[in-house]
Amino acid sequence: MAETKLFKYNESDLRMLDEIGSILRDGGIVGIPTETVYGLAANAFDGSAVAKIFRAKGRPQDNPLIVHISEISQLDKVVSSVPAGAYELAEKFWPGPLSIIMPKGERIPDEVSCGLETVAVRMPSHPAARAIISAAGVPLAAPSANLSGSPSPTTAQHVIDDMWGRADAIVDGGMCDVGVESTVVSLVGDKPRLLRPGGISLEQLESVLGEVEVDRAVLAELEPGQKAASPGMKYKHYSPKARVIIVKGSFENYKRFVSNKKGCAALCFDGEGSKLDIPFIEIGREHDSQTQAHLIFDALRKLDEMGVQTAYARCPDTDGVGLAVINRLLRAAAFTVLDVDGAMMIGFTGPTGAGKSTVAKLICEKYGFAHIDCDEIAREIMSPGSPILMQLAQAFGEDIINDDGSLDRALLASRAFASKEQTLLLNSITHPVITSIAIAKVNSFTLEGKMAVLLDAAAVFESKIDKLCTFTVAVTAPEDVRKERIIRRDGITEEKAEERINAQLSENEYEQKADIIIRNHLPYSIEKEIGKIIEAYKERKQ
Ligand code: TXA
Ligand code: MG
């Protein structure tokens, strides 16, 4: 563990600057403030110094770094040619939050470019960053100074939290102004291409370059195996430990949706939090993208300090700097976006033998609700040859795939349920896909004019599908009734029936977790019982 020296930046302290400069010249790595986010800097010409950055961050080896310069005269030392448009961009937006991808110069080692023929260059505007680059006397390669995968640091404290004992020094220059990382634009292809939105907006780029293509990865998830133009865009980024879900729609519907959600918090706009009944963090006024950018990473870190399990984020505007905010939020949310103005999502579950499917059918016929069978989605995504099946084989052993390419469910189950970690691993592979398919289906039911959708799954609570739902319903019946039903229905022995029943949550747990209980057994009238659902629906849809 390295000893980390902490400096409080003071522009008139030349001895301090000298010391920081020599740490960098000697191959050290230093956390430095910039106007976007804090960077973890090393001499860009020194491959072994740069390698330390990757180790300190736990950064994947194929994700190249941005080279920071303080004078335009340094550009020639880091690129082999300056493409058309680059000087115009520099003239207008440097120093500032813009990184330009250009052909790489000879002195830039592979450690910086990760084997690419190109290099990203930026001239930061933060006085401390510029003074430190000057003091070092060399361009500095610097990624954001967070541990790989966690939110970028916008205060010195964030850097201390992630890099203490990993960096040689950290320079405290106060809170970063912009708050999201620089815009990354590539000038090496046929057309200028926006790879990462940031402090300089698409509109600003186009005012200089004319039309700029927006890389698909800016707003959409890459398909498995698809190559990222900007390697950084393929990683799950900026994630707090809490699960983030972006919620589209009016504030009124948002408010009703998050109401009473236990263990959850709201990431909302100024003035909204006090109207909610769950803990909240406000990130600026509704249409103030600048402030939202400034606060977003700090807010994501605060969620974890609050010990929140799920955070519901209001959906920001997507123009101007807003494009950068939604880009970072989408990654933090693993692309989960709910539309609370659309069809209401109702979690629907119950233990085996309670008659869940029969009751679901009854409800959908009576009220015109749509039905999504999440267990069927789970089976479909594991069909022979599917990418999920490959991932499962990688995680749990190739022998879980039968000779005909199908999944050996029993073998997978025996391995995946052997320990808590293994179960989590299984869930981390399957749940995000099931979630995104289910949401896509709900969106198309919304377009068809459906008012509500039953999200039917055996494990609504275990899979955390309940967190996507406005409310949840459990269909129940006493254990002896259920046992008798499944023995009759599936022609199995009493012992087998008990085994199945014991593998699930108990009756009691369903009753505690679900918002509404439908008792599907005598002496209750099922007609009357399902009436509770339409009441709950109406209550939440005013
Ligand atoms: O604002 C910023 O840009 C901050 C501060 C410290 O300057 N730095 C930063 O660096 O955000 P980092 O490493 O976290 O993000 C760099 C992004 C990554 O997505 C990376 O894949 C992309 O830029 N990138 C770097 N060089 C590239 C290249 N030659 N071609 C394509 N993408 C590149
Ligand atoms: Mg980063």
Side-chain angles (χ1 to χ4, degrees), residues 37 57 59 63 143-146 150 152 181 196 237-238:
V37 301
K57 277 178 64 85
R59 183 177 175 103
N63 194 6
S144 48
N146 51 293
S150 44
S152 291
E181 306 87 339
R196 179 176 76 180
H237 256 69
Y238 320 117

Side-chain angles (χ1 to χ4, degrees), residues 34 36-40 57 59 63-66 68 99 101 116 118-120 122 142-144 180-182 184 195-196 229-233:
T34 85
T36 55
V37 301
Y38 274 75
L40 187 61
K57 277 178 64 85
R59 183 177 175 103
N63 194 6
L65 307 183
I66 295 171
H68 297 69
S99 300
I101 311 248
L116 297 177
T118 55
V119 64
R122 129 170 155 88
S144 48
V180 289
E181 306 87 339
S182 62
V184 178
L195 302 186
R196 179 176 76 180
S230 178
M233 282 288 131

Side-chain angles (χ1 to χ4, degrees), residues 163-184:
M163 288 299 153
W164 198 256
R166 293 171 180 266
D168 296 290
I170 295 171
V171 183
D172 181 351
M175 186 164 183
C176 303
D177 230 20
V178 178
V180 289
E181 306 87 339
S182 62
T183 301
V184 178

